[in-house]
Amino acid sequence: AERLREFLVENPLQKGDWSHSRWQELLEGYQWILDRFGSSISATDQTSIWELMTLARAQGFDWLGWVESDEAHPFVVAPDLKPTDYIEHFDISGGDIRSVTMDPSATHLDCETLCNNTAGCVAYVWAPKGCLADNTCWLKAAVTVAEANECRNYRVIGGSVNIRGWFPNNTADADLIGYNNWFPTVDRQWTHGVNLAQAMMTWGLLYRLTGDSTYITRGKSAWEKVYEMHGQATGVFSGDETLAGTLPQRGTETCVVVELMNSANEMYHITGDVWYADKVEMIATNAIPAAFMNGTMWSLNYYQQINKLDAIDGEPNCEHGCTYCFGMVYECCVTNHAQGWPKFAARQIAHLPPSGSSAAGLVISQYFSSVISNLELLSGTIVNISITTSYPFDEEINIDVHASESFPLSFRIPSWCEEPSITLGSERLRDVKKATLHSVLLPQGFSSITLRFPMVVRIETRKPYVIDLNKIVTTNSVNVYHGPILYALPRAFALDHATPYDDGSALLPVNQAHGQNNYLLGTSEWNYALLLDTTNTTRFFEFSRNSFPQLPRGQGPFALSLVPLSIRVKAQIVPDWGVIADGSRGSEITCDAGTTSIPSYTCVWSSSPPISPVQGLAGSVVDIELFPYGATDLRMGEFPFVAYHE
């Protein structure tokens, strides 16, 4: 720590470097060292560690100021721009508002007039016909260093409109920053999904560093803000490289998923706020399994989407590379995904320090089968715990405890559960409430505890999609949940794949492809509206639970052929609900001949769901079957609805 501190004094963290954005991981690591080995670390060495953490915080990016900023309190304000002459044979890049093709008789003065009449335009670039096929005018919201270019001329008209930067609260602004088109005012690294996911623990870490409890309340407000503006139905936020708003067709990188779950766990263990533990559960039961094809970890998805119609790359050669396919994606996710489950499992149980009259105890925060042997509490009590459950595929969790002395054991009660119960031996305990940690004083010796978290189908309405500052679309789209699990309609597909890069007879699970890029070409109907009785929203939803299967070795349960849960629901096709075709991100692209097994296959993203309740549908009402989101590879997980009338 002392050597690293000396290095940072001589070589401070530099803006633009990954370390400048990700300094909080140094705090996380050293705080863990202090927690684990603090009693054996000398006072001098502990002081060195605290000085290192304080220095890293001072040099690193101000995540708190950035996330907490808004239009009224901008994070950065660029200086006023001074007008320039009309400069020929130089170009300024970035900051594009839009480009306009102009009449053959137009001059740069017409481009200037257009800039003067466009909100936020502070400069323009003019390319006369001859350099390009037509006279072209680029309108700019920011100005960068000019570079020589024989076919470009520019002029700064002045002003400071839009030359400010704050945390983006809509898809359009997030994309402008993500494509560095707000440069140089705002750096895309500040909206890079993985950077932000890692940074979401910063408020808790600073509380531990300083003891200032305001970081706890500020942190909760910041988390709620990010989810309000960019949250998805799976418990993560959007981040198809950078933030992207709340639209269900926008993606989330697998690195975001695992890092955000880790940050939520960190915030929970620092604050004790069950809200964060519920986020961990949502991510673990939905977003993490959805990153893998067919319930194994052999085939990884770089970007997952709530509404995902195919899994191929949208180039004319549609089976080259693997950004949206399942396979060997970018190296960051190939290495990063593997920490998801271990860090989730490692934090199932945590120590609780003594508080007031309560002795040192334990808290069980997440529920899955496990055995914990000879665990020594802070009080010296030795505890053995056995947890047996099929949760979240079942409602019941059985826990056996052997303790050398009496101690308090706490349980997280999920916020979605309306009628939770805890039975100790044969006694049903009172006052068990959702969204709490419920503590039970266990006696010395053996105790048997049964938790029941009844699950019912529930329909949640999505908040309006904020497309840009001037376009907020209220669609009333819905998500379907049962317990912590999001449900989705799987889309059938034709499977193409590249030559395996890693395979062998000894690899598990057997009789499956292992190391290969899998391209999924969607083939079935997807544009359904669910039938809802607005007076009884789950009237047409029939939940089914089968026995939990015996899983093959190496196989997880989140696969359509194995997952024991489904929901049958009535629905109608919405003919007018189509795909993106306006030239924006996700617009349909027809694949080159011979590159896919389906000739002239068109790679598509669904457009946003239409406004609900959908009117005027003439098609038949049919039954469709929804499955846990994490068990689907192509899917629709966010739906419009049709209102049922007697």
Side-chain angles (χ1 to χ4, degrees):
E2 178 60 27
R3 283 185 294 174
L4 183 53
R5 188 191 67 81
E6 291 174 354
F7 176 83
L8 290 182
V9 169
E10 297 177 3
N11 304 275
L13 300 176
Q14 297 294 314
K15 179 180 177 181
D17 292 343
W18 289 113
S19 56
H20 185 257
S21 298
R22 299 182 178 183
W23 58 269
Q24 71 284 340
E25 292 196 314
L26 183 146
L27 268 67
E28 181 191 23
Y30 273 102
Q31 286 181 356
W32 181 87
I33 290 173
L34 290 172
D35 291 341
R36 184 69 177 84
F37 305 107
S39 60
S40 61
I41 300 175
S42 70
T44 299
D45 288 342
Q46 288 195 36
T47 298
S48 294
I49 290 174
W50 287 110
E51 289 177 349
L52 168 63
M53 292 192 292
T54 302
L55 180 61
R57 175 207 178 180
Q59 291 183 358
F61 177 62
D62 180 13
W63 281 107
L64 277 65
W66 167 241
V67 175
E68 295 171 1
S69 67
D70 55 32
E71 189 171 0
H73 307 89
F75 184 68
V76 291
V77 179
D80 288 348
L81 295 171
K82 303 302 181 183
T84 67
D85 294 332
Y86 180 62
I87 310 296
E88 294 185 323
H89 308 311
F90 278 85
D91 188 19
I92 49 176
S93 60
D96 288 347
I97 297 175
R98 68 178 188 274
S99 63
V100 180
T101 300
M102 306 195 73
D103 292 338
S105 60
T107 70
H108 73 274
L109 295 176
D110 298 298
C111 183
E112 183 168 322
T113 299
L114 188 60
C115 183
N116 283 322
N117 294 328
T118 300
C121 186
V122 297
Y124 66 87
V125 172
W126 175 253
K129 183 178 180 180
C131 286
L132 299 177
D134 299 290
N135 287 327
T136 305
C137 172
W138 284 272
L139 306 180
K140 301 284 185 175
V143 175
T144 59
V145 176
E147 297 181 350
N149 187 319
E150 284 298 316
C151 286
R152 301 288 189 274
N153 313 310
Y154 79 91
R155 180 169 186 253
V156 176
I157 65 172
S160 59
V161 180
N162 270 3
I163 309 301
R164 298 186 300 161
W166 56 88
F167 189 80
N169 60 1
N170 62 84
T171 299
D173 283 355
D175 281 342
L176 276 173
I177 297 170
Y179 289 115
N180 262 339
N181 285 337
W182 216 320
F183 185 87
T185 305
V186 178
D187 191 325
R188 73 187 299 268
Q189 284 201 22
W190 307 349
T191 61
H192 186 271
V194 186
N195 285 350
L196 181 60
Q198 292 174 329
M200 293 298 283
M201 68 176 75
T202 305
W203 291 264
L205 297 175
L206 291 182
Y207 163 68
R208 296 200 60 194
L209 182 66
T210 66
D212 184 348
S213 61
T214 62
Y215 284 122
I216 294 178
T217 54
R218 287 173 64 186
K220 183 68 171 291
S221 296
W223 275 74
E224 291 173 340
K225 176 181 179 178
V226 172
Y227 276 93
E228 175 80 15
M229 297 176 178
H230 303 281
Q232 296 285 341
T234 51
V236 298
F237 54 71
S238 63
D240 42 14
E241 209 64 32
T242 53
L243 292 173
T246 59
L247 294 170
Q249 64 267 31
R250 296 302 293 265
T252 300
E253 184 181 338
T254 296
C255 288
V256 172
V257 173
V258 295
E259 294 290 359
L260 185 60
M261 186 172 72
N262 183 54
S263 285
N265 249 326
E266 193 74 31
M267 291 295 291
Y268 166 63
H269 283 82
I270 291 171
T271 66
D273 189 337
V274 173
W275 186 88
Y276 294 108
D278 284 347
K279 280 284 184 280
V280 172
E281 180 177 76
M282 280 285 291
I283 297 170
T285 55
N286 296 293
I288 283 191
F292 308 107
M293 182 178 174
N294 198 40
T296 79
M297 298 177 74
W298 276 105
S299 194
L300 179 65
N301 199 204
Y302 186 56
Y303 294 142
Q304 63 177 269
Q305 297 154 284
I306 304 293
N307 291 350
K308 184 178 180 69
L309 299 188
D310 52 34
I312 58 179
D313 280 42
E315 303 172 8
N317 180 353
C318 290
E319 296 184 2
H320 176 73
C322 196
T323 301
Y324 287 92
C325 88
F326 286 87
M328 181 61 77
V329 299
Y330 294 106
E331 62 273 12
C332 56
C333 291
V334 170
T335 55
N336 213 7
H337 78 273
Q339 70 167 305
W341 292 124
K343 286 188 175 180
F344 173 72
R347 287 171 164 172
Q348 180 185 36
I349 294 180
H351 290 282
L352 285 178
S355 176
S357 60
S358 180
L362 294 174
V363 57
I364 300 178
S365 304
Q366 304 297 338
Y367 300 105
F368 50 86
S369 293
S370 64
V371 174
I372 300 94
S373 301
N374 298 318
L375 177 63
E376 184 176 356
L377 306 191
L378 299 175
S379 61
T381 299
I382 303 299
V383 174
N384 292 277
I385 301 176
S386 174
I387 302 174
T388 305
T389 185
S390 294
Y391 183 92
F393 304 111
D394 198 359
E395 301 172 345
E396 187 171 288
I397 301 137
N398 296 300
I399 304 171
D400 291 339
V401 180
H402 291 266
S404 63
E405 301 290 341
S406 174
F407 79 100
L409 179 60
S410 296
F411 306 93
R412 175 183 64 90
I413 312 301
S415 60
W416 51 261
C417 185
E418 297 296 334
E419 298 181 356
S421 68
I422 301 176
T423 303
L424 175 60
S426 59
E427 178 188 1
R428 179 165 175 166
L429 305 184
R430 301 173 60 184
D431 297 324
V432 180
K433 299 178 181 179
K434 69 176 184 177
T436 64
L437 292 178
H438 189 94
S439 183
V440 179
L441 182 62
L442 297 184
Q444 180 185 34
F446 174 77
S447 298
S448 178
I449 305 107
T450 298
L451 309 180
R452 288 194 64 86
F453 299 145
M455 303 179 188
V456 297
V457 175
R458 69 183 189 278
I459 312 299
E460 295 190 4
T461 302
R462 290 289 285 172
K463 295 179 179 178
Y465 305 129
V466 184
I467 310 302
D468 59 40
L469 290 176
N470 300 308
K471 186 178 182 181
I472 300 175
V473 181
T474 302
T475 66
N476 302 312
S477 301
V478 297
N479 304 117
V480 180
Y481 294 91
H482 185 264
I485 297 178
L486 173 68
Y487 280 70
L489 172 69
R491 190 183 190 203
F493 56 83
L495 174 62
D496 292 356
H497 64 84
T499 302
Y501 48 78
D502 188 7
D503 214 342
S505 59
L507 298 178
L508 298 174
V510 298
N511 301 320
Q512 288 193 31
H514 299 106
Q516 67 183 26
N517 285 347
N518 297 291
Y519 302 97
L520 282 54
L521 285 59
T523 58
S524 61
E525 299 281 11
W526 57 269
N527 48 341
Y528 287 98
L530 307 183
L531 183 64
L532 291 187
D533 182 342
T534 54
T535 62
N536 178 14
T537 55
T538 60
R539 174 179 177 182
F540 299 113
F541 290 73
E542 180 183 345
F543 174 75
S544 296
R545 178 187 286 115
N546 298 317
S547 59
F548 197 81
Q550 182 67 40
L551 298 176
R553 289 184 64 202
Q555 173 70 55
F558 285 94
L560 279 182
S561 61
L562 296 172
V563 69
L565 311 178
S566 66
I567 299 174
R568 187 172 295 275
V569 60
K570 297 188 179 300
Q572 283 181 279
I573 286 286
V574 184
D576 294 337
W577 184 13
V579 300
I580 297 175
D582 61 0
S584 61
R585 185 167 182 175
S587 290
E588 56 185 351
I589 298 176
T590 300
C591 301
D592 284 347
T595 62
T596 56
S597 60
I598 299 176
S600 301
Y601 182 81
T602 301
C603 174
V604 293
W605 286 12
S606 68
S607 60
S608 301
I611 294 174
S612 295
V614 181
Q615 305 291 332
L617 297 183
S620 301
V621 175
V622 298
D623 287 336
I624 60 174
E625 195 166 12
L626 311 182
F627 291 87
Y629 171 91
T632 61
D633 299 318
L634 303 183
R635 69 187 73 87
M636 296 299 292
E638 199 150 308
F639 299 92
F641 70 85
V642 179
Y644 172 77
H645 300 286
E646 294 284 359

